[in-house]
Amino acid sequence: MNKEILINVAPHEKRIAILEDRKLTELIVERPDQNRVVGNIYKGRVVNVLPGLQSAFIDIGLLKPAFMNLSDMQERSLRYRSEDGEEALLSDEQPDTRRRLRIEHLLKKGQSILVQVIKEPLSTKGARVTNGLSIAGRFLVLVAGTDFIGVSKKTRDRGERRRLKDLIASLKPDGIGFIVRTVAFQKSDREFETEIKNLVGRWQEVVKQTEKKEAPALLHQEERITSATLRDLFTDAVSRVLVDDRKEYQQIQKVIGRTTPELSNRVIHYVESQPLFTVFNVEEQIENTLARKVFLKSGGYLIFDYAEAMVVIDVNTGRSQGRRNAEETIFNTNMEAAREIARQLRLRDLGGLIVIDFIDMMVMENRRKLLEEFHNILKKDRAPFNIGKISEFGILEMTRKRVRENLIHSYTEICTGCSGTGRIFSKASVVSSIDRFMGYVRNILGFKRARLVVSSALAAYFLEDRKTVLREISNAAGIKIDLETDPELPMDKFKIFDKDKKQEFTELF
């Protein structure tokens, strides 16, 4: 698999595209008005403790108080899990002991506490935080408040795990734990020593700032998006990084030259006249990603629907036709859909509860194969996920952790015409409303003439039958109607004024 990273820089936004065999799999967007806060460490102040929800709100200096659940305090203190799926256990404490803890015993209103953002503020919600603090480096992750040493679960070599643990133990100071990342395997002792020294220095600066500053205060800021992405993703598996901005290219070369100089020749300044994202067909792939319907090569398609509580994905055979039997066609379509869904989850950065309606399969073995294939593909995803079983109706439930705002929210906004439902009142329904309003104007207000302002689409509807509909409304209400068109008006909206447009009647009812 050929993996590439493309970086496009413009005055209004910076975009990082991850391509696998020229196919867009991840898109990270940063804009000046969207400050990234995940990874930041703050000295916060507890503003409210909610025993009923086992949660607390903490002022960290952002527009909205941050949210912390008891599970964020417990789990992060017992387990570290990075954005790219690396995981390590940090404690041997038993679950029964943790269940007895209550948040009102741990936090009090007005108390100062060090927290780290693990989820960006989304929509009306504030940031989500934890008291398990960590600072990520290239090879290691420093974890505060523990002496435990963990190794990424992505390696099964027990000998290598033991070697790395012994090495870190000999180099680290007391009271600070470390997680060895996957990219650290086969690195030299000198590189580990340098990384530990750098991370400990950054942590000591956090401690120093804690003593100096009053809550709420920012103590540690995560690296900018380009540096953080390259830190986590730029490995030997990436064939090249293309950057279309000279200043950004020079900054990247500085960072790479300091951390992984052996990869610096893979960073290329793109200087061609044709836009970088256009050459690699990224723009078109972004547009397709924002669509509700995603087509499969076989002729089938996926439908993505977004609800408040979940994302629903429907798999359809469409024009897909099998040469042998229906079960085989359905199985092949489902397998293709599973691969595309896994890609779309990463690309759209969908999170929370996700419900997938696969096409019903009668053969149990086919359901097992589909679930196994889907699970294996999802292992490429950097975001933590949990996956259930396929029900007898073909329904699969899963959860995925979203760290940043998903692509739909980044690129789109709620339609003012339909308020995000995707539906508006039909022309016939709007005509019925106009009929009722004209009755109010005539019978309640006593006007015998009114001016009706409608959209271009509704005006065309009225004129289709030589104003028969408009005449029927006029006769039924006993009022003369002057029709006027407003191209800016949504199709299912209308306004009724007096004949001189001095008073609007639709606001009165």
Side-chain angles (χ1 to χ4, degrees):
M1 180 181 66
N2 182 35
K3 191 171 183 178
E4 299 167 295
I5 299 176
L6 311 184
I7 302 176
N8 165 239
V9 180
H12 56 284
E13 70 177 2
K14 183 187 295 181
R15 298 181 297 174
I16 302 175
I18 315 299
L19 272 60
E20 295 176 359
D21 292 332
R22 289 294 182 105
K23 211 168 188 179
L24 184 64
T25 55
E26 284 188 57
L27 181 68
I28 303 165
V29 182
E30 183 180 53
R31 296 191 175 116
D33 59 339
Q34 297 174 337
N35 292 324
R36 173 185 163 94
V37 295
V38 164
N40 288 359
I41 297 175
Y42 295 88
K43 183 177 184 179
R45 179 180 289 109
V46 179
V47 292
N48 203 1
V49 178
L50 306 174
L53 297 176
Q54 285 301 288
S55 304
F57 286 97
I58 299 165
D59 179 13
I60 59 175
L62 301 181
L63 288 176
K64 295 174 183 173
F67 174 82
M68 183 164 67
N69 190 269
L70 179 63
S71 62
D72 296 320
M73 299 182 71
Q74 294 172 339
E75 290 175 4
R76 291 287 290 201
S77 62
L78 298 172
R79 180 181 297 275
Y80 167 79
R81 187 162 190 171
S82 70
E83 284 186 45
D84 51 358
E86 294 174 326
E87 189 173 351
L89 211 60
L90 301 180
S91 172
D92 297 322
E93 187 176 346
Q94 296 302 311
D96 289 344
T97 305
R98 287 184 281 151
R99 287 197 194 103
R100 288 199 293 269
L101 296 173
R102 293 189 61 82
I103 200 162
E104 61 268 31
H105 299 152
L106 302 173
L107 296 176
K108 302 296 179 186
K109 186 175 179 180
Q111 174 185 338
S112 292
I113 182 174
L114 296 189
V115 294
Q116 186 168 32
V117 178
I118 55 174
K119 193 172 183 180
E120 296 280 0
L122 298 172
S123 186
T124 58
K125 299 176 182 178
R128 189 158 184 165
V129 297
T130 175
N131 67 336
L133 310 181
S134 61
I135 300 177
R138 175 70 176 164
F139 311 132
L140 302 168
V141 177
L142 179 150
V143 184
T146 177
D147 276 308
F148 189 85
I149 300 169
V151 180
S152 169
K153 285 187 174 180
K154 290 186 178 181
T155 178
R156 301 295 179 187
D157 187 336
R158 290 188 178 182
E160 179 65 7
R161 293 174 70 90
R162 173 47 55 195
R163 183 189 76 81
L164 291 170
K165 284 187 176 184
D166 291 343
L167 173 61
I168 301 303
S170 67
L171 296 173
K172 80 173 193 69
D174 293 336
I176 296 177
F178 282 93
I179 303 299
V180 182
R181 308 184 77 173
T182 306
V183 292
F185 301 152
Q186 310 306 324
K187 294 297 177 182
S188 69
D189 294 8
R190 179 68 179 272
E191 287 174 301
F192 280 110
E193 187 177 356
T194 302
E195 179 98 327
I196 288 173
K197 186 177 180 181
N198 176 267
L199 290 173
V200 170
R202 289 161 69 181
W203 171 245
Q204 287 173 344
E205 183 60 29
V206 170
V207 175
K208 191 185 298 181
Q209 292 297 318
T210 303
E211 297 168 354
K212 288 181 179 179
K213 295 183 177 180
E214 294 292 325
L218 174 63
L219 305 177
H220 166 77
Q221 189 163 18
E222 175 63 304
E223 295 179 73
R224 61 194 188 93
I225 190 169
T226 307
S227 301
T229 302
L230 293 178
R231 178 195 68 201
D232 295 338
L233 297 179
F234 191 22
T235 64
D236 286 332
V238 177
S239 62
R240 59 179 175 170
V241 176
L242 294 172
V243 191
D244 66 4
D245 180 79
R246 173 164 288 280
K247 187 178 178 182
E248 190 74 19
Y249 166 76
Q250 291 171 341
Q251 289 177 338
I252 290 171
Q253 281 289 14
K254 240 182 231 182
V255 174
I256 297 300
R258 190 173 62 249
T259 57
T260 49
E262 69 275 10
L263 297 178
S264 61
N265 63 336
R266 300 189 191 184
V267 182
I268 301 166
H269 181 210
Y270 180 83
V271 294
E272 302 301 325
S273 57
Q274 206 167 1
L276 177 62
F277 274 30
T278 302
V279 171
F280 284 81
N281 198 33
V282 174
E283 300 291 7
E284 184 179 340
Q285 292 187 68
I286 293 172
E287 287 184 20
N288 293 339
T289 299
L290 298 173
R292 180 171 178 257
K293 182 182 285 189
V294 175
F295 290 97
L296 305 173
K297 287 184 179 179
S298 64
Y301 61 89
L302 310 174
I303 296 291
F304 287 79
D305 281 320
Y306 300 85
E308 188 71 24
M310 69 184 75
V311 176
V312 180
I313 305 172
D314 187 28
V315 181
N316 296 275
T317 52
R319 300 188 309 276
S320 179
Q321 295 180 358
R323 295 182 179 178
R324 297 181 183 177
N325 57 59
E327 179 71 18
E328 183 182 12
T329 301
I330 290 171
F331 174 69
N332 290 334
T333 302
N334 278 336
M335 291 289 274
E336 184 184 7
R339 289 187 283 269
E340 183 60 29
I341 288 169
R343 171 177 170 261
Q344 291 289 334
L345 292 180
R346 293 171 63 191
L347 184 50
R348 298 178 186 231
D349 199 15
L350 301 179
L353 178 61
I354 300 165
V355 176
I356 305 169
D357 183 10
F358 285 107
I359 307 165
D360 290 350
M361 293 181 292
M362 303 300 294
V363 180
M364 290 297 296
E365 179 63 12
N366 286 344
R367 293 184 193 174
R368 186 195 65 77
K369 287 179 180 178
L370 174 62
L371 185 62
E372 184 179 354
E373 174 72 5
F374 190 49
H375 192 272
N376 288 334
I377 298 168
L378 284 174
K379 288 179 181 177
K380 295 180 182 177
D381 197 340
R382 293 192 295 146
F385 66 87
N386 287 304
I387 185 169
K389 294 182 179 179
I390 299 175
S391 74
E392 59 179 309
F393 303 110
I395 303 295
L396 174 67
E397 295 177 343
M398 65 172 291
T399 60
R400 181 179 183 274
K401 181 182 176 182
R402 181 185 65 232
V403 176
R404 56 185 178 270
E405 193 173 46
N406 67 45
L407 210 60
I408 290 294
H409 285 108
S410 295
Y411 270 85
T412 66
E413 57 186 35
I414 297 294
C415 169
T416 55
C418 69
S419 299
T421 64
R423 311 285 297 182
I424 60 173
F425 286 107
S426 65
K427 295 183 182 71
S429 298
V430 179
V431 168
S432 297
S433 295
I434 291 172
D435 191 9
R436 288 192 294 273
F437 268 87
M438 285 301 178
Y440 300 153
V441 172
R442 178 68 183 91
N443 299 324
I444 298 176
L445 300 179
F447 282 82
K448 296 182 179 180
R449 187 168 185 172
R451 183 170 295 276
L452 173 63
V453 182
V454 296
S455 65
S456 301
L458 200 57
Y461 178 76
F462 279 130
L463 296 174
E464 277 177 4
D465 56 2
R466 298 183 181 180
K467 299 187 178 180
T468 301
V469 174
L470 198 62
R471 193 179 306 114
E472 288 174 351
I473 294 174
S474 178
N475 292 338
I479 188 171
K480 182 174 175 58
I481 301 174
D482 299 316
L483 184 65
E484 183 179 318
T485 303
D486 180 358
E488 300 296 321
L489 210 58
M491 197 285 291
D492 61 344
K493 305 296 180 185
F494 61 89
K495 295 178 180 179
I496 301 174
F497 299 87
D498 62 352
K499 63 183 181 66
D500 299 318
K501 286 187 75 173
K502 292 180 178 178
Q503 183 181 6
E504 184 181 348
F505 299 139
T506 37
E507 295 179 339
L508 303 177
F509 303 101

